[in-house]
Amino acid sequence: YTELVRLIRFFTVKKHHRFGVGKALMKGIEQQLSTKKAELIWLNARTNAVPFYEALHYTAHGEGFAIAGIGLHYCYFKRLNHD
């Protein structure tokens, strides 16, 4: 059994990019979920967010896919540690 968590509609406004806001939010979410014994986070990332999630050690799964009215996305996941 794996406790699976999906993040949806998660992004930072462009004017807040490159200030560490997104990274701080993701690290906080991961820490909170880890204390709740979640094991796996998954999300759909826009192509421009791929480097961000890969820098946070998320792994792509499968091929890219289009979401109508939004654009190309990729599915990413990350296993959480329970240290």
Side-chain angles (χ1 to χ4, degrees):
Y1 175 76
T2 299
E3 187 65 35
L4 176 66
V5 176
R6 180 180 179 197
L7 299 180
I8 58 172
R9 295 187 177 111
F10 185 83
F11 62 94
T12 54
V13 177
K14 190 170 185 169
K15 69 179 182 177
H16 296 294
H17 287 188
R18 313 298 292 166
F19 292 104
V21 175
K23 182 178 180 179
L25 286 170
M26 289 302 293
K27 291 297 182 185
I29 289 168
E30 290 172 8
Q31 288 173 349
Q32 286 293 314
L33 291 174
S34 186
T35 65
K36 304 283 187 204
K37 303 301 182 203
E39 295 181 26
L40 187 71
I41 298 175
W42 76 278
L43 54 89
N44 293 330
R46 291 183 186 194
T47 54
N48 64 332
V50 164
F52 170 77
Y53 288 111
E54 289 180 349
L56 294 174
H57 307 289
Y58 282 74
T59 303
H61 178 74
E63 301 292 321
F65 58 95
I67 296 179
I70 300 175
L72 187 62
H73 283 67
Y74 294 88
C75 181
Y76 273 81
F77 69 92
K78 182 176 185 177
R79 291 208 175 274
L80 298 176
N81 295 324
H82 299 287
D83 300 331

